[in-house]
Every structure is written in structure tokens, then in C-alpha cells.
Amino acid sequence: MLKATIEADIFRETIDAVSALVNECRLHVDEKGIRTITVDTSNVAMVSLELSASAFLTFAAEPCEIGLDIEKIRSMMSMIGKTDIVSLELDESGKKLKISFGGYEYSITLLDTKTIRKDPNAPNLNLPATFEVPGVMFNDAIKASSMVSDKISLAVSAETCVFTMNADGDSDRIKRELTGDDVHYLTCADARSLFSLDYLKDMGKSIGRAEKVQIRLGTDHPVQFSFVYAGGKGSVGYLLAPRIEAD
Amino acid sequence: MLKATIEADIFRETIDAVSALVNECRLHVDEKGIRTITVDTSNVAMVSLELSASAFLTFAAEPCEIGLDIEKIRSMMSMIGKTDIVSLELDESGKKLKISFGGYEYSITLLDTKTIRKDPNAPNLNLPATFEVPGVMFNDAIKASSMVSDKISLAVSAETCVFTMNADGDSDRIKRELTGDDVHYLTCADARSLFSLDYLKDMGKSIGRAEKVQIRLGTDHPVQFSFVYAGGKGSVGYLLAPRIEAD
Amino acid sequence: MLKATIEADIFRETIDAVSALVNECRLHVDEKGIRTITVDTSNVAMVSLELSASAFLTFAAEPCEIGLDIEKIRSMMSMIGKTDIVSLELDESGKKLKISFGGYEYSITLLDTKTIRKDPNAPNLNLPATFEVPGVMFNDAIKASSMVSDKISLAVSAETCVFTMNADGDSDRIKRELTGDDVHYLTCADARSLFSLDYLKDMGKSIGRAEKVQIRLGTDHPVQFSFVYAGGKGSVGYLLAPRIEAD
């Protein structure tokens, strides 16, 4: 059972964060709120999202699982006004979700949760460098880098405490250094890994809207991004596997 | 003979209303103004338009027929400034129309009116429900519906006096109900017909600019839309045949 | 050697003016500033550009030649903020140019200047009509004309001192006359030549940003456009060969 109302922009950020990586997901619903954890089809990236019941205007739920076609909801987004209140209601059969807003009633058929792959287990990773940077600075650097290359190295120097994003293309290079007030370290340690810009571009759009993104980085290890939204009542985590360095 | 001047935005709305359905039309000109009536190539939709001589800044005409390539004029629209005055002048041969605005002189070759199909006769229809809704609300619902389906049912309930637009797609559905202040009935009667969204999307753009659109609806009958523009000195009518309901 | 800083918008106008015609160019650098002169691959149009050292915020240079991949720099433009300061620095090998702005460091591999065609000699032309028109009016007329034709005639009448731009398409025609305050003659003489709109559209974008463009026109001769930018510290010249008139 689910019957809830939510502000349009929180609804939108929720959908956007997940749709960065996957087209469908299994939503776990209970009285505490909603959450999902899923990997992309090539097993390279993982997204986890939690949105507390208190982030909703009204929220009544009994534990259930919902199979969401994320793409379908995303295509409806342009209809939803910025200040609309979005109502969500699972129908009695549990097979359809009714989404209402601004005089509209939109009913979508849910996916059979049995057809959606099992929830992945979040791996335990030893990532020595942990720090925060403004989301918009991170996303801008990702956008710029993707103009010269398809991969980027993220690196922290324990000595200088500079966070360096470096994209080396065939003939050109873009380097972005964050230092001073732009980066706040929880633990500063040597770390350097190489990542595919394809995935980072998709994640970057959601990260770019966050005031701060926390980054956990190791050497030739996955990178972890986490940020909050909905006034701290929602949280998103991305995990991205490193690329093998060819050179 | 035709020699007239008109404000750019009235000229634009005139062209847009007709180009929603056809690429060419026969324009009837006389001292009272201009008018056209034409059906689309598949005979499913009809548009009629009248613009009174008083809607023009200056207007001098003798009865004649003009074969207009609507698409050609539409492609020039971006050149015309919002506050421009547009001059129209038929040349002496009657084969070219000179359109001048803002220092430009644009001369287009007219179509031979003999090659344009005969004016259709507006059918006499018995459409029991007649009501008005805001143009923008109608158009927004059309745009939303076309995301889930290619057809939409328009229905009025005599009992509740609710106007319901319902688009049922293969797996999803969008329903929009207009009631209360949003719909004004001249005659409230049971009516329900199914229409192709393809046509309604095109009509919707012009309807969306009208403060009010009058809708006349029957059961498994065509629907009629009519609205005014140019401060009431112009009027547009659309007629759309129903789709056969498969289910 | 080159080490200089420049405001983002002057940098942008410089790149745009040259990229209108060519994808690569040889930049001549010395203590007085930078300059380039180059023809497009089909030898129909020539662009020359000079930007004085005083247009830069800082400028230190020793005479050298730089082979620039203009397209590559153009694709980076969206990253540069409107109020950014752009730093340019040739590396010691002379094979890479470092472009820095807003915390970014962008390094591009330069082209071997030997692979870029020799600088053309600006021809000596006898073009009797010389006059100035607002850049934006010229560009608007070019954009409009390209909707009906792929060629345009530019003409001055010695008798009326009207500057006429006339694009004759297969069935339609656009004529734009500039007269009175819109055109300022240095020498008014009969002149008329026909040009390809393809080239003029590309030039028009840069010309459209100039307050005034000086035009030198002859009969069945090339046309010359010149305008200044960067507060008069930069100048651009375009030369375009005429088309043979078929009719």
C-alpha cells in the first residue's frame, strides 16, 4: 500500500538521480519512506537512493515492492508544473500506480518486480581519501573533460591536499585543480583512479544540483559519490568502478 | 485586387491557424475581408477562417481568389519583427503576392487556384453538448495525452457536467477532468467521441493561444472547435472526424 | 614565445571571426600582437584578422608562428565563463598551447605550421563603391535571403545611392533596400555583383556583432567587408569572390 503526496521538485530530483543510471528499478516502500538500490546493465555503476517519509507532504504506506519504469515517468516530467503537488497512489491490485498533479491523473502499469534483477549488495571498500566539493564545480569539470577525452583521472595528493581532475585525450588535455576553500577534506590521503566519462556525465547532472558532494577515492578502486537532497531528507549514493589504465 | 496592411501578430496567428492542417489554401478576398475553408489531404479535418477587413490597418480589395503556399509564408515568419507592420499587395498579373515588412520586400509566386481542391461544404451536424474551456488548458491536456497514446476520448456527462479528456495507451493512461469554473456550458448533454491525437496536437497550438475555445461534441460524431482572435475580428473553426473505437 | 591574458569575449570574437571560414590557421605572433590571413579550402573567401597587443590584459611575445586547430578551440568555448580571463601560454617545445581560465587548464597540441597552406596575398582590387551599414541589418538580410535562394546580388545605384540586397529564388524573391541613415557612403558609385549566400551566412554571424561594417563593392568583382572589434583594437577583413551570373 502506498498513498502519498510530494512537492514536484523533490519528485523530479528523485527520478532524475535514478534515471542517470537505469531505466527501471525496484522501489522498496515501508512506513519509513522509499528506497532503491540498483546497478546499471553493464554492472559498472550502482545507484542507491533513500527518501524519508518526512520528505513527503503526506505519506501512508505498508511494506511493499514496486517495479518502476523510470523512463516512462521521466517523459511525463515536462507536464508537471514547478509548484505542483504530486499525488502517488498504488491501486488495489498493486499493478498500477496513479500519479496525479494539477488536474491530471496519470496511471502507469508497473513492472513485475520478479523481472527486475536482484538488489545488489553494496561492497565494502577501503577508500582512503574522503572529501567534499561543490556539486556544480564537479559537474562543470566533467562536462569540460568530456570534450577532449572519454576518461578522466581523479586524484588526491596527500602532500599538497589538491584534488586534481585530469582528462588526457589523444592530442589535448584538460586539467582542473580544486584546492583551498573549494575542497574540504575529512581524510586527505594519496589516491588516484581512472574513470569512464560516459558514466560520470550522467551522474554529474544530479551531482551538479547538490550543494556539496562527498567523494571517497582510492587507488585503482571504485569511487563513491554521496549527496543529500530534499533538505537533507533524501540521500543519493553513486558507486563507479574504475577503468583499467591502458598506458 | 488586394492591397492591405496588418499587424505582424495577427498575420502570424492567421497563418498558423491554417497551417495546422494544410500546406496550401484558396483565399477568398473581397471588400469585407478574407476567408478560407479547406480540408486536410486525408479528409479527416477541416479548417475555416475569416478575418474581417476591420482587423487590418488598411484594406482595399476587389473580389478575387488567391492560391497560397502556406508553408512558404510560415518559413518567413521568423524574419518578421513582433511590432512590424506587414504589407500585402497582389501584383497586377495576380500571380505574385508582395509581402513587405521592416525594409524587406518578399515576393512569392502564387499557386494556380485551379490546382487547389474545391472548397468543402461545412456539414450540418447535430452535436448536443456545447461548452467553452480555456484554450491553454485544452492544449496542455492534448500535449500530455500524446505522451501515452495516439487517441483521446472527449466526453461530457449530463449528470455531473464534467468534461473528461481520457487517453488510454497500451499500458498507461492519462485523464484530465475539467469542471467548475474551468468549463462553461451552453448546453450540457451526454456526449463521447474518440479522436486522433495527431490532428488535435496540430490544432492545439492555435487553440492554446485563444482565451476560450468553444467545443461542440456528440457521440461518435465529429467535434467542432471554434475560437476568435484579432480582438474578435477573426474567427477560426476546426472540425475533426471521430475515430472508430476498436475496443 | 607567447604568454598573454585576454578577456573571454574578445577571445571568443577572435576565434569566431576566423572559424567562419576555416578550421585551421597560421597565427603570426610578435610583440605588436597577433594576426592571421587565410583562404578557405575552395579559394573563394579570405579572412584576415589583426589583434593588437593592447587588446590583451597582459602580452609578452617573441616572433613566432602557431598552427591553430580553430575547431578544437571553438568546441571549448562553452566552458569559458563570460567574465573569465583567458590565459594563453605556448609551452617551451612550441608544440602545445596551454589555455587556462576559471581553474581549468586546457592543453592543445598545435598543428605543424608547415602543413598549413602558405599565407595568401591580399589582391589589389578596384572596388568603386565604399559604404558602411549596421552589421546587424546586413546579417538579418543575409539570413532572410537564404530562405528563398542560395545567391544574392549586392548593388549600389550611383543615382539614388540606395544599397540593394536582392535574392532571387526559383519562385520567390526577397529584396532589402538600405537608404537614408542606414547607409553611409564614402564613395557612391554604380556597382553590382552576385555572391553565394553559403559564405555570406558564415561571415554574417561575425559581421552581425559589429556596430558598422564597411563594404567595398564593384561590378562582377569580389566584395570586401571590414569591421573592428575589441574596442577598435582588433580588425577583421573578409573578401569574397563573386559568382558567375547564370541568367
Side-chain angles (χ1 to χ4, degrees):
Chain A
M1 191 275 262
L2 172 66
K3 195 165 156 60
T5 53
I6 187 169
E7 287 170 19
D9 60 340
I10 300 181
F11 184 64
R12 186 183 309 271
E13 286 192 55
T14 303
I15 298 300
D16 284 354
V18 180
S19 75
L21 290 187
V22 295
N23 293 332
E24 52 181 52
C25 75
R26 175 189 288 109
L27 209 63
H28 298 274
V29 176
D30 62 24
E31 62 284 349
K32 286 187 234 148
I34 61 170
R35 67 193 157 77
T36 188
I37 183 166
T38 180
V39 295
D40 85 298
T41 49
S42 53
N43 280 303
V44 170
M46 182 189 290
V47 54
S48 60
L49 178 142
E50 289 194 25
L51 187 60
S52 154
S54 65
F56 292 79
L57 297 169
T58 64
F59 189 85
E62 280 163 23
C64 63
E65 288 184 7
I66 293 176
L68 271 193
D69 185 332
I70 297 281
E71 269 315 290
K72 205 179 269 181
I73 298 180
R74 225 166 67 97
S75 73
M76 301 300 303
M77 280 298 181
S78 62
M79 294 167 45
I80 306 182
K82 269 184 189 309
T83 58
D84 277 356
I85 303 300
V86 178
S87 296
L88 305 170
E89 186 174 356
L90 204 59
D91 84 344
E92 280 165 37
S93 72
K95 287 183 180 156
K96 283 179 184 289
L97 182 68
K98 211 162 68 186
I99 306 175
S100 311
F101 47 89
Y104 286 96
E105 188 184 299
Y106 174 43
S107 162
I108 57 168
T109 300
L110 297 172
L111 304 173
D112 185 346
T113 52
K114 289 193 208 81
T115 67
I116 301 178
R117 54 197 297 179
K118 252 184 55 185
D119 282 6
N121 294 313
N124 235 322
L125 295 165
N126 180 22
L127 302 169
T130 305
F131 53 99
E132 290 178 343
V133 299
V136 66
M137 283 192 185
F138 180 80
N139 187 35
D140 281 352
I142 293 300
K143 284 192 287 183
S145 298
S146 62
M147 290 183 186
V148 300
S149 185
D150 61 353
K151 57 185 192 292
I152 190 170
S153 76
L154 307 181
V156 168
S157 154
E159 196 184 342
T160 61
C161 279
V162 172
F163 170 49
T164 303
M165 305 172 74
N166 192 71
D168 248 310
D170 288 338
S171 64
D172 308 329
R173 189 172 59 83
I174 281 183
K175 192 170 81 178
R176 175 73 162 111
E177 293 188 341
L178 290 177
T179 177
D181 287 348
D182 292 337
V183 52
H184 171 68
Y185 284 96
L186 282 78
T187 56
C188 180
D190 278 323
R192 183 181 180 288
S193 299
L194 190 73
F195 301 98
S196 160
L197 276 164
D198 247 17
Y199 286 92
L200 287 174
K201 267 193 295 183
D202 291 336
M203 297 173 176
K205 285 170 204 157
S206 279
I207 291 174
R209 284 204 283 257
E211 198 195 340
K212 294 274 173 199
V213 57
Q214 186 182 102
I215 304 180
R216 294 185 60 215
L217 194 67
T219 295
D220 296 331
H221 258 67
V223 61
Q224 215 170 45
F225 302 99
S226 47
F227 56 93
V228 296
Y229 74 108
K233 290 168 184 165
S235 65
V236 177
Y238 288 128
L239 188 71
L240 178 63
R243 272 178 62 141
I244 306 304
E245 211 146 347
D247 40 25
Chain B
M1 192 277 265
L2 173 65
K3 194 165 155 58
T5 54
I6 188 170
E7 286 170 19
D9 61 340
I10 300 181
F11 184 64
R12 186 183 310 270
E13 287 191 54
T14 304
I15 299 299
D16 284 353
V18 180
S19 75
L21 289 189
V22 294
N23 293 331
E24 52 181 54
C25 75
R26 176 188 287 110
L27 209 64
H28 298 272
V29 176
D30 63 23
E31 62 284 350
K32 287 187 230 147
I34 63 171
R35 67 192 158 78
T36 188
I37 183 166
T38 179
V39 295
D40 84 300
T41 49
S42 51
N43 280 304
V44 170
M46 183 188 291
V47 55
S48 60
L49 178 142
E50 290 194 26
L51 187 60
S52 154
S54 64
F56 292 79
L57 297 170
T58 64
F59 189 87
E62 281 163 23
C64 62
E65 288 185 6
I66 293 177
L68 270 194
D69 184 332
I70 298 279
E71 270 314 290
K72 205 179 270 181
I73 298 180
R74 225 166 65 96
S75 73
M76 302 298 306
M77 279 298 181
S78 62
M79 295 167 45
I80 305 182
K82 270 184 188 307
T83 58
D84 276 357
I85 304 299
V86 178
S87 296
L88 305 171
E89 187 174 355
L90 204 60
D91 83 344
E92 279 165 36
S93 71
K95 288 184 180 156
K96 284 179 184 289
L97 182 68
K98 210 162 69 186
I99 306 176
S100 312
F101 48 89
Y104 285 96
E105 189 184 298
Y106 175 43
S107 162
I108 57 168
T109 302
L110 296 171
L111 303 173
D112 185 347
T113 51
K114 289 192 208 84
T115 68
I116 301 179
R117 54 197 296 178
K118 251 184 56 184
D119 283 6
N121 293 314
N124 235 323
L125 294 164
N126 180 22
L127 301 169
T130 306
F131 54 100
E132 290 178 343
V133 298
V136 66
M137 282 192 185
F138 180 80
N139 187 35
D140 281 352
I142 293 298
K143 284 192 288 183
S145 299
S146 62
M147 289 183 187
V148 301
S149 184
D150 61 352
K151 57 185 192 291
I152 190 170
S153 76
L154 306 181
V156 168
S157 153
E159 196 183 340
T160 61
C161 278
V162 172
F163 169 49
T164 303
M165 305 171 75
N166 190 72
D168 248 310
D170 289 337
S171 64
D172 309 327
R173 188 172 60 84
I174 282 182
K175 192 170 81 179
R176 174 74 161 112
E177 293 187 342
L178 289 177
T179 177
D181 287 348
D182 292 336
V183 52
H184 171 68
Y185 284 95
L186 282 77
T187 57
C188 180
D190 278 323
R192 183 182 180 287
S193 298
L194 190 73
F195 301 98
S196 161
L197 277 164
D198 247 16
Y199 286 92
L200 287 174
K201 267 194 294 184
D202 291 337
M203 297 172 175
K205 286 171 203 157
S206 279
I207 291 175
R209 284 204 283 258
E211 199 195 340
K212 294 273 172 199
V213 57
Q214 186 181 103
I215 304 179
R216 294 186 60 212
L217 194 67
T219 294
D220 296 330
H221 259 68
V223 61
Q224 213 169 47
F225 302 99
S226 46
F227 56 94
V228 296
Y229 74 109
K233 290 167 185 165
S235 66
V236 177
Y238 288 127
L239 188 71
L240 178 63
R243 271 177 65 141
I244 305 306
E245 212 144 348
D247 39 24
Chain C
M1 194 277 264
L2 173 65
K3 195 164 155 60
T5 53
I6 187 169
E7 286 170 18
D9 61 339
I10 300 182
F11 184 63
R12 186 183 310 270
E13 287 193 54
T14 304
I15 298 299
D16 284 353
V18 180
S19 75
L21 290 187
V22 293
N23 293 331
E24 52 182 51
C25 75
R26 175 188 288 111
L27 209 63
H28 298 273
V29 176
D30 63 24
E31 62 284 349
K32 287 187 230 146
I34 62 172
R35 67 193 158 76
T36 189
I37 183 165
T38 180
V39 295
D40 86 298
T41 49
S42 51
N43 280 304
V44 170
M46 182 187 292
V47 54
S48 60
L49 177 142
E50 289 193 24
L51 187 60
S52 154
S54 65
F56 292 79
L57 297 169
T58 64
F59 190 84
E62 279 163 24
C64 62
E65 288 185 7
I66 293 177
L68 271 193
D69 185 331
I70 297 281
E71 269 315 290
K72 204 179 270 181
I73 298 180
R74 225 167 67 97
S75 73
M76 302 297 306
M77 280 300 181
S78 62
M79 295 167 45
I80 305 182
K82 269 184 189 307
T83 59
D84 276 357
I85 303 300
V86 179
S87 295
L88 306 171
E89 186 174 356
L90 205 59
D91 84 343
E92 280 164 36
S93 71
K95 286 183 182 157
K96 283 179 185 290
L97 182 69
K98 211 162 69 186
I99 305 176
S100 312
F101 48 89
Y104 285 97
E105 188 184 297
Y106 174 42
S107 162
I108 57 167
T109 302
L110 297 172
L111 304 173
D112 185 346
T113 51
K114 289 192 208 82
T115 67
I116 301 178
R117 54 198 297 177
K118 252 183 56 183
D119 282 7
N121 294 313
N124 234 324
L125 295 164
N126 179 22
L127 302 169
T130 306
F131 53 100
E132 289 178 344
V133 299
V136 66
M137 283 192 184
F138 180 80
N139 187 35
D140 281 352
I142 293 299
K143 283 192 289 184
S145 299
S146 61
M147 289 183 187
V148 301
S149 184
D150 60 353
K151 57 185 193 290
I152 191 171
S153 76
L154 306 182
V156 168
S157 153
E159 196 183 341
T160 61
C161 279
V162 172
F163 169 50
T164 303
M165 305 171 76
N166 191 72
D168 248 309
D170 288 338
S171 65
D172 309 328
R173 189 172 59 84
I174 282 183
K175 192 169 79 176
R176 174 74 162 112
E177 292 188 341
L178 290 178
T179 177
D181 287 348
D182 291 337
V183 52
H184 171 69
Y185 285 95
L186 282 78
T187 57
C188 180
D190 278 325
R192 183 182 180 288
S193 299
L194 189 73
F195 302 98
S196 161
L197 276 164
D198 247 16
Y199 286 92
L200 287 174
K201 267 195 293 183
D202 291 335
M203 297 172 175
K205 286 171 204 158
S206 279
I207 291 174
R209 284 204 283 258
E211 199 195 339
K212 293 273 172 198
V213 56
Q214 187 182 101
I215 304 180
R216 294 185 60 213
L217 194 68
T219 294
D220 296 331
H221 258 68
V223 62
Q224 214 170 43
F225 302 99
S226 46
F227 56 95
V228 296
Y229 73 110
K233 290 168 184 165
S235 65
V236 177
Y238 288 128
L239 188 71
L240 178 63
R243 271 178 63 143
I244 305 307
E245 210 144 348
D247 41 24

